């Protein structure tokens, strides 16, 4: 349970932000992606925002890295939960899939439960591919042609 201090943010939220995201904001690829994502979502049609939230969810909140030493966590939602940490790395139950923007944008999530699938990158620098290419725009225009999404690199 979250503990609230005099009506302030619950301690669990503060813990999540400080320990789940804080250290990784020192990584330029991660920090640049978070900044780009914020600008990009503000440009998006409101109708697309729930779909775009999946990108943030499966990267910044629940992303994994595939390394030579095995899977590693970079998602703050995983890092701030002991149970999710063990489940994401050690359990045979969840699916661990290579990052694919098209699949991610079509994959709903449940924010109230332990995740049943995770997407992994080979390197955090792979996030720059999203920032520097038109992959996201192309994918959204294919999935939702009525919106004709166009995002400016920030």
């Amino acid at each position: 349970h979250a503990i609230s201090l005099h009506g302030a943010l619950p301690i669990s939220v503060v813990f999540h932000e400080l320990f789940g995201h804080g250290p990784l904001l020192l990584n330029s690829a991660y920090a640049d992606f978070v900044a780009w994502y914020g600008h990009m979502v503000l440009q998006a049609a409101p109708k697309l925002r729930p779909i775009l939230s999946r990108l943030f969810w499966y990267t910044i909140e629940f992303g994994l890295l595939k390394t030579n030493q095995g899977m590693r966590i970079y998602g703050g939602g995983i890092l701030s939960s002991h149970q999710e940490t063990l489940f994401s790395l050690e359990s045979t139950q969840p699916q661990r899939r290579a990052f694919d923007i098209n699949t991610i944008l079509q994959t709903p999530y449940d924010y109230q439960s332990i995740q049943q699938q995770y997407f992994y990158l080979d390197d955090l620098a792979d996030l720059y591919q999203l920032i520097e290419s038109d992959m996201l725009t192309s994918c959204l225009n294919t999935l939702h042609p009525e919106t004709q999404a166009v995002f400016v690199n920030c």
Side-chain angles (χ1 to χ4, degrees), residues 40 82 121 132:
M40 182 266 304
H82 179 71
L121 297 170
E132 297 168 353

Side-chain angles (χ1 to χ4, degrees), residues 19-89:
F19 295 100
H21 297 299
L24 281 162
L25 286 169
L26 297 173
N27 177 287
S28 60
Y30 181 95
D32 290 345
F33 180 80
V34 169
W36 169 82
Y37 179 86
H39 290 290
M40 182 266 304
V41 167
L42 289 174
Q43 295 177 39
K47 178 179 183 171
L48 290 177
R49 291 179 184 163
I51 295 161
L52 292 170
S53 73
R54 296 170 183 174
L55 177 59
F56 197 84
W57 188 262
Y58 288 116
T59 55
I60 301 305
E61 292 297 345
F62 289 91
L64 295 173
L65 284 173
K66 187 176 184 179
T67 71
N68 292 335
Q69 294 78 37
M71 287 292 179
R72 299 293 185 257
I73 299 166
Y74 75 95
I78 302 172
L79 291 169
S80 60
S81 166
H82 179 71
Q83 184 180 6
E84 187 97 27
T85 294
L86 295 176
F87 186 77
S88 69
L89 294 179

Side-chain angles (χ1 to χ4, degrees), residues 41 47 59 61 76 93 107 109 116 119 121 129 131 139 150:
V41 167
K47 178 179 183 171
T59 55
E61 292 297 345
Q93 292 179 345
T107 304
Y109 58 87
Q116 295 303 307
F119 292 88
L121 297 170
Q129 292 177 1
I131 296 171
C139 186
V150 175

Side-chain angles (χ1 to χ4, degrees), residues 36 43 130-133 151-154:
W36 169 82
Q43 295 177 39
L130 281 169
I131 296 171
E132 297 168 353
S133 75
F151 299 108
V152 176
N153 287 341
C154 303

